[in-house]
Amino acid sequence: MIDSLVLEHAIPESWRAQSEVFSEIFFVFLAIGTTVGIVVVTYTLYHVYKYRDTGEDGGTDEEFDAPQLGELPRGQEGGKSKKLFMSFGLSAIIVISLVVYSYGLLLYVEQGPSEDIDAGGETMEIEVTAYQFGWQFEYPNGHVEQNTLRVPQGANRTIRLHVTSRDTWHALGVQSMHVKADAIPGQTDTTWFIPQETGTHQIECFELCGIGHSQMVGEIIIMEQSEFDDWYAGTEPDDSGGDSGGEGQ
């Protein structure tokens, strides 16, 4: 069942950005939590009013069978026991449903949209290297940019970032896109995003990495396809071994 939730995103028409997925999860949990809270509070206040002490019978009820020490709660009559088990059952159904629903969406966030080219989508692979204190981006043609990543706009396009570090631990974060990936020396972490609309998004380092941590910023520029094609056609492979950013920038 969980696999089917992931397969729903196998065609471009159903691809969604990570920010959309997280927003959906947030609002679903908010709506269900608010509904459950209202029901519980209303039910509690109703019983507080119904069984309040009016003082008319001296505050005692001769028919009340008080539970004994060590006795399991079973209710004073069958109806109350049914309500108890019904509440437990509904709670279990709600929790299990939320877990399955959330896990399916989080698997999609982890794996990204389908890479099946026959589905009509496109994928651009970008190598990202973090260093103190900046970002290096290497394009498929070998061209290298420092601190600025330019990508073409497209709702059917996936940009995959393969992130590592040259020196110490960093973390690439784009808050407006809900994108984050750890940058660890000797390891590669992969994240992705869909450039649905043109615009500029700020890149920040989400891991305290040294004295220049707060200045370790960059930007992602999502361009029109034609504009990006003109720019990309003028780029050339980098022959400096990928060290043009320098350790001291």
Side-chain angles (χ1 to χ4, degrees):
M1 179 172 59
I2 293 177
D3 290 340
S4 65
L5 293 176
V6 179
L7 290 175
E8 289 179 359
H9 305 279
I11 56 177
E13 288 77 8
S14 63
W15 291 0
R16 290 185 294 169
Q18 296 189 40
S19 57
E20 295 180 1
V21 174
F22 286 121
S23 295
E24 178 182 321
I25 293 176
F26 171 78
F27 284 114
V28 167
F29 273 77
L30 178 63
I32 294 179
T34 301
T35 302
V36 171
I38 291 175
V39 171
V40 170
V41 171
T42 302
Y43 190 75
T44 301
L45 293 178
Y46 166 74
H47 281 81
V48 167
Y49 176 79
K50 180 178 179 180
Y51 297 106
R52 70 191 187 283
D53 184 6
T54 60
E56 297 178 358
D57 54 0
T60 62
D61 187 352
E62 297 180 357
E63 298 181 357
F64 177 70
D65 183 13
Q68 302 298 316
L69 181 62
E71 181 182 1
L72 294 177
R74 51 183 174 78
Q76 300 302 312
E77 56 186 37
K80 294 183 179 180
S81 297
K82 291 180 180 179
K83 291 181 181 179
L84 179 64
F85 286 106
M86 183 179 296
S87 63
F88 285 159
L90 290 176
S91 300
I93 292 174
I94 293 174
V95 171
I96 294 174
S97 300
L98 286 176
V99 169
V100 173
Y101 161 79
S102 302
Y103 187 64
L105 289 180
L106 292 177
L107 278 180
Y108 167 69
V109 170
E110 181 71 20
Q111 299 173 6
S114 170
E115 296 184 28
D116 187 358
I117 302 301
D118 294 334
E122 300 179 20
T123 300
M124 175 178 284
E125 309 280 346
I126 305 292
E127 302 294 330
V128 183
T129 302
Y131 59 87
Q132 293 177 316
F133 296 95
W135 306 97
Q136 175 180 289
F137 304 99
E138 182 176 349
Y139 289 83
N141 68 348
H143 177 69
V144 173
E145 287 279 319
Q146 305 296 326
N147 297 321
T148 300
L149 174 62
R150 294 177 174 84
V151 297
Q153 182 270 340
N156 296 347
R157 176 178 286 108
T158 305
I159 307 298
R160 293 187 182 274
L161 307 178
H162 304 284
V163 185
T164 188
S165 173
R166 185 186 302 168
D167 38 47
T168 186
W169 283 35
H170 303 276
L172 181 144
V174 186
Q175 188 172 0
S176 58
M177 293 182 176
H178 293 199
V179 171
K180 181 180 180 295
D182 293 325
I184 303 174
Q187 299 184 25
T188 300
D189 190 13
T190 300
T191 187
W192 61 274
F193 65 91
I194 298 176
Q196 294 179 315
E197 299 179 358
T198 57
T200 301
H201 302 268
Q202 186 178 39
I203 301 172
E204 300 174 278
C205 180
F206 284 6
E207 185 79 33
L208 185 59
C209 57
I211 193 170
H213 166 71
S214 60
Q215 283 76 48
M216 189 172 170
V217 295
E219 60 182 5
I220 296 177
I221 302 177
I222 302 177
M223 309 167 65
E224 295 286 351
Q225 181 69 60
S226 59
E227 183 182 359
F228 175 82
D229 290 341
D230 292 340
W231 172 83
Y232 195 61
T235 62
E236 297 179 354
D238 181 72
D239 297 326
S240 62
D243 294 328
S244 58
E247 298 290 344
Q249 279 193 356

